[in-house]
Amino acid sequence: MKRFLLPTMLGVLSLFASCSDDNTMFNEPESIRAYETDARIMAQFVEVDKTTGTYVLNQDKKITTTDYVINRSQEEFIEVSQINKDRFLREMENVNSQLSVVKRSGLASAFIYSTQTSDVVIDGDENDSFIMSRLRKEPYNLNRVASLTLIEGKNKSTNFFSQSDMIMTVNTGNSSAFYCAQVTLGDQNDENAEIIFISGVQSFIPEHSYRLVSPSIVDNNKTISGMTIIGTGNISVSISR
């Protein structure tokens, strides 16, 4: 009788072990952090490749001075879930594809690129007389003559009066992780219009201002129009003088 005891006990232990393995197997997976949380971390590593005119994710970028000693930023990047990283890269690629199409078309007069902490203007057509430059200091006490809120997939426009030298302020505070939009500036007959392409990633500094000098052929009665092409939330554009 005793000779059957050990096999029986082993069988019971084996049963308990298999039950334990099954419980482990069917445990719920670890929860994934909210996409917005991981997107803010990854946005720190986004840079502009001025040669290609696209956004890249530089995982070796040093975010703070302490990263040269203890790279906490890199540790945070490693903790980003693969699901959220894949989504972030897809959104970045969608914007990059749109930028490449517009760049190849040769229709844009200027491109605005914004990262989490900075922005840059790249001339789209060096042969035209349209000039756009980044203002290092935000202007004060200017007279706003036009304001436009861009929404996704619907063109909006407004008319205003201004001479050729203007200030354009862009605010992307309500936009999603990645966004791109098109703004067209011209006379009210829609002739000689200049296209400005705005793109970026959600930033700590959502508002930037630029000096615009339109060609003299564009009269004082102007129109600004545009729409958001990629991204949720509203982008606002205002013109001052």
Side-chain angles (χ1 to χ4, degrees), residues 39-47 61 63 73 76 116 204:
R40 279 194 296 270
I41 293 171
M42 289 183 284
Q44 299 175 96
F45 296 86
V46 173
E47 296 180 343
K61 182 180 178 182
I63 308 302
S73 300
E76 289 181 342
Q116 197 175 64
F204 292 138

Side-chain angles (χ1 to χ4, degrees), residues 192-229:
N192 308 303
E194 305 290 345
I195 295 175
I196 304 166
F197 209 76
I198 302 168
S199 65
V201 65
Q202 196 172 56
S203 172
F204 292 138
I205 313 170
E207 186 170 287
H208 298 286
S209 294
Y210 309 88
R211 182 189 178 198
L212 306 182
V213 180
S214 63
S216 57
I217 194 172
V218 178
D219 64 20
N220 291 333
N221 296 304
K222 297 179 174 60
T223 295
I224 184 171
S225 62
M227 72 169 69
T228 299
I229 299 171

Side-chain angles (χ1 to χ4, degrees), residues 160-171:
F160 64 99
F161 179 89
S162 176
Q163 295 177 342
S164 295
D165 204 333
M166 300 163 282
I167 302 295
M168 184 177 79
T169 300
V170 179
N171 191 307

Side-chain angles (χ1 to χ4, degrees), residues 14 16 19 23 33 41 47 65 78-79 87 90 95 108 112 116 123-124 133 136 140 146 148 160 168 195 220 234:
S14 175
F16 280 131
C19 289
N23 287 337
R33 282 188 305 194
I41 293 171
E47 296 180 343
T65 54
I78 293 172
E79 291 171 1
R87 176 180 169 182
R90 283 197 303 271
V95 171
I112 298 175
Q116 197 175 64
D123 195 339
S133 57
R136 296 303 168 190
Y140 296 98
L148 191 66
F160 64 99
M168 184 177 79
I195 295 175
N220 291 333
N234 297 329

Side-chain angles (χ1 to χ4, degrees), residues 3-239:
R3 62 194 177 108
F4 296 104
L5 186 60
L6 185 58
T8 302
M9 289 180 65
L10 290 174
V12 172
L13 291 173
S14 175
L15 179 62
F16 280 131
S18 64
C19 289
S20 176
D21 289 343
D22 288 345
N23 287 337
T24 301
M25 183 180 299
F26 291 103
N27 278 344
E28 292 185 3
E30 292 184 15
S31 59
I32 298 173
R33 282 188 305 194
Y35 174 69
E36 291 73 18
T37 301
D38 281 349
R40 279 194 296 270
I41 293 171
M42 289 183 284
Q44 299 175 96
F45 296 86
V46 173
E47 296 180 343
V48 179
D49 184 337
K50 295 181 182 179
T51 303
T52 61
T54 56
Y55 293 94
V56 294
L57 195 63
N58 180 7
Q59 299 182 58
D60 298 322
K61 182 180 178 182
K62 305 298 182 184
I63 308 302
T64 66
T65 54
T66 57
D67 285 342
Y68 290 91
V69 182
I70 302 174
N71 201 338
R72 177 57 187 153
S73 300
Q74 185 63 233
E75 292 174 3
E76 289 181 342
F77 187 92
I78 293 172
E79 291 171 1
V80 168
S81 76
Q82 189 61 47
I83 291 175
N84 287 340
K85 183 179 180 182
D86 290 343
R87 176 180 169 182
F88 189 83
L89 291 173
R90 283 197 303 271
E91 291 186 8
M92 185 171 71
E93 181 54 36
N94 287 341
V95 171
N96 282 340
S97 296
Q98 187 67 47
L99 286 166
S100 296
V101 170
V102 176
K103 189 175 181 181
R104 285 198 302 270
S105 73
L107 296 176
S109 299
F111 293 85
I112 298 175
Y113 296 84
S114 294
T115 63
Q116 197 175 64
T117 57
S118 64
D119 67 312
V120 63
V121 176
I122 296 179
D123 195 339
D125 185 357
E126 297 179 352
N127 297 318
D128 67 3
S129 56
F130 179 78
I131 300 172
M132 183 173 186
S133 57
R134 170 80 169 92
L135 291 181
R136 296 303 168 190
K137 292 184 179 180
E138 295 299 319
Y140 296 98
N141 300 322
L142 289 173
N143 179 27
R144 180 176 293 185
V145 294
S147 183
L148 191 66
T149 298
L150 311 182
I151 60 176
E152 186 177 7
K154 184 178 180 181
N155 191 62
K156 301 189 71 177
S157 65
T158 187
N159 300 329
F160 64 99
F161 179 89
S162 176
Q163 295 177 342
S164 295
D165 204 333
M166 300 163 282
I167 302 295
M168 184 177 79
T169 300
V170 179
N171 191 307
T172 59
N174 296 323
S175 56
S176 54
F178 276 98
Y179 60 86
C180 65
Q182 177 179 305
V183 170
T184 303
L185 178 67
D187 58 37
Q188 291 184 12
N189 294 321
D190 227 6
E191 297 176 354
N192 308 303
E194 305 290 345
I195 295 175
I196 304 166
F197 209 76
I198 302 168
S199 65
V201 65
Q202 196 172 56
S203 172
F204 292 138
I205 313 170
E207 186 170 287
H208 298 286
S209 294
Y210 309 88
R211 182 189 178 198
L212 306 182
V213 180
S214 63
S216 57
I217 194 172
V218 178
D219 64 20
N220 291 333
N221 296 304
K222 297 179 174 60
T223 295
I224 184 171
S225 62
M227 72 169 69
T228 299
I229 299 171
I230 294 176
T232 57
N234 297 329
I235 298 172
S236 64
V237 178
S238 62
I239 299 293

